Amino acid sequence: MKQSEIQRIDRITKIVYDLLNGRNPESTDLDSQGNDEIRQLSDFVNSLAGEMKSLTQNAITLSNGDITKPIESKLPIGASLKNLQATLRHLTWQTNQIAKGDFSQRTDFLGKFSDSFNWMVQQLDINRNQLEELVKIRTQNLSLLLDTTVKTSQTLNLREILQIFSEILVQSLSYHSYCRVAIMDKSGQQFEIKADYQIRPMELNFSIGKVFSLADFKFIKETIRENMIRMIYVDSEILDANETEFL
């Protein structure tokens, strides 16, 4: 083998060596070579080096978050990068759909990442439903409070205020069909029915104005004790003579 041929093969070997060690080699000059097998090999190696350089740049671009740049390569690693790029594009689309409120999105092609992604979406859906339910409850409570405030602000009569309160309470709690509102005396041993409201007629011996001993109602007494219910005393200016005397 001629010395010139050995030098040409050495240049080809240098290109392959640089590729294997993560460097971008300079392509070998083909114009100065004759049309022989070594030139053909040099052409192939130059093409391989160019493909690897392009794929390296594509991988860097992809790792930096740019999924828009086209990947053109016939090498197997190029096909893998294309698949990864397509996956990231689809995942980006799914994330945008989730941001718009579509919590039905799922992935099944990314192994453990898919499991974590799907679990995250499920938790977001659960949290959204819980938040919507909480907002619904808070809205109902605020509406009830506003309705009660508006109605009770139109009178200073305690009996009328309690009557309004009993009506609104029954209407807001759909599982109750009646309500009795009572006030305790200062000793906390007796209570008097001050207002009542019922959706349908009921035969109950709890007429307005009737006084009861708390000792006769063990459940109510225990409820007051266990829940540490505090007694609220009403300004005597809005009470009539009998109510003032009772309190």
Side-chain angles (χ1 to χ4, degrees):
M1 181 178 291
K2 297 179 182 180
Q3 183 64 31
S4 60
E5 293 175 340
I6 294 175
Q7 292 175 348
R8 292 165 64 191
I9 292 176
D10 286 343
R11 286 196 292 270
I12 294 173
T13 303
K14 177 68 165 55
I15 293 175
V16 175
Y17 178 83
D18 286 343
L19 288 175
L20 292 175
N21 286 274
R23 293 190 287 267
N24 290 324
E26 295 291 335
S27 59
T28 186
D29 182 18
L30 299 179
D31 295 335
S32 61
Q33 299 186 29
N35 189 18
D36 55 12
E37 287 81 2
I38 297 179
R39 176 189 171 94
Q40 185 179 23
L41 178 61
S42 297
D43 190 16
F44 288 150
V45 171
N46 282 345
S47 297
L48 176 61
E51 285 278 344
M52 294 302 296
K53 183 178 181 179
S54 176
L55 286 173
T56 300
Q57 186 57 49
N58 286 331
I60 293 174
T61 301
L62 201 58
S63 67
N64 289 332
D66 185 356
I67 58 176
T68 61
K69 186 177 181 179
I71 298 175
E72 303 293 341
S73 177
K74 296 180 180 180
L75 296 178
I77 188 174
S80 298
L81 282 177
K82 288 180 182 179
N83 289 336
L84 178 59
Q85 184 185 60
T87 297
L88 292 175
R89 284 177 175 175
H90 183 66
L91 191 61
T92 300
W93 177 85
Q94 286 186 299
T95 304
N96 289 332
Q97 295 303 113
I98 294 171
K100 295 177 182 178
D102 180 8
F103 293 98
S104 66
Q105 297 296 323
R106 297 291 185 273
T107 64
D108 57 4
F109 46 81
L110 291 173
K112 291 184 177 180
F113 176 84
S114 292
D115 295 337
S116 298
F117 180 87
N118 294 338
W119 182 83
M120 178 193 71
V121 177
Q122 291 172 357
Q123 292 304 307
L124 287 173
D125 192 21
I126 292 173
N127 291 339
R128 181 192 63 173
N129 292 333
Q130 291 177 341
L131 180 59
E132 288 179 348
E133 183 63 25
L134 181 60
V135 170
K136 181 180 178 181
I137 294 174
R138 291 290 187 269
T139 301
Q140 291 175 343
N141 291 342
L142 288 174
S143 178
L144 176 61
L145 178 61
L146 177 61
D147 189 29
T148 304
T149 302
V150 170
K151 290 182 177 180
T152 56
S153 65
Q154 299 172 357
T155 179
L156 288 178
N157 184 280
L158 178 62
R159 191 183 300 279
E160 292 181 4
I161 292 175
L162 295 179
Q163 185 63 36
I164 292 172
F165 177 75
S166 65
E167 293 178 11
I168 293 178
L169 189 61
V170 171
Q171 293 168 2
S172 64
L173 302 175
S174 58
Y175 50 86
H176 284 294
S177 58
Y178 70 94
C179 174
R180 301 289 184 271
V181 180
I183 58 175
M184 301 288 296
D185 64 1
K186 290 182 179 180
S187 68
Q189 301 301 316
Q190 288 184 312
F191 63 90
E192 178 182 344
I193 305 297
K194 287 294 184 180
D196 76 330
Y197 180 80
Q198 54 193 25
I199 297 177
R200 58 181 181 275
M202 303 183 69
E203 295 182 0
L204 295 174
N205 187 24
F206 289 96
S207 57
I208 294 177
K210 193 166 185 178
V211 179
F212 297 89
S213 172
L214 186 62
D216 295 333
F217 295 85
K218 183 178 180 181
F219 176 76
I220 297 178
K221 185 176 181 180
E222 290 298 316
T223 300
I224 293 175
R225 182 180 62 83
E226 292 177 4
N227 292 278
M228 299 180 66
I229 297 177
R230 297 181 180 179
M231 306 305 298
I232 300 177
Y233 294 99
V234 183
D235 190 336
S236 60
E237 292 183 0
I238 68 171
L239 304 177
D240 57 33
N242 293 332
E243 288 169 340
T244 304
E245 182 180 353
F246 181 76
L247 289 174

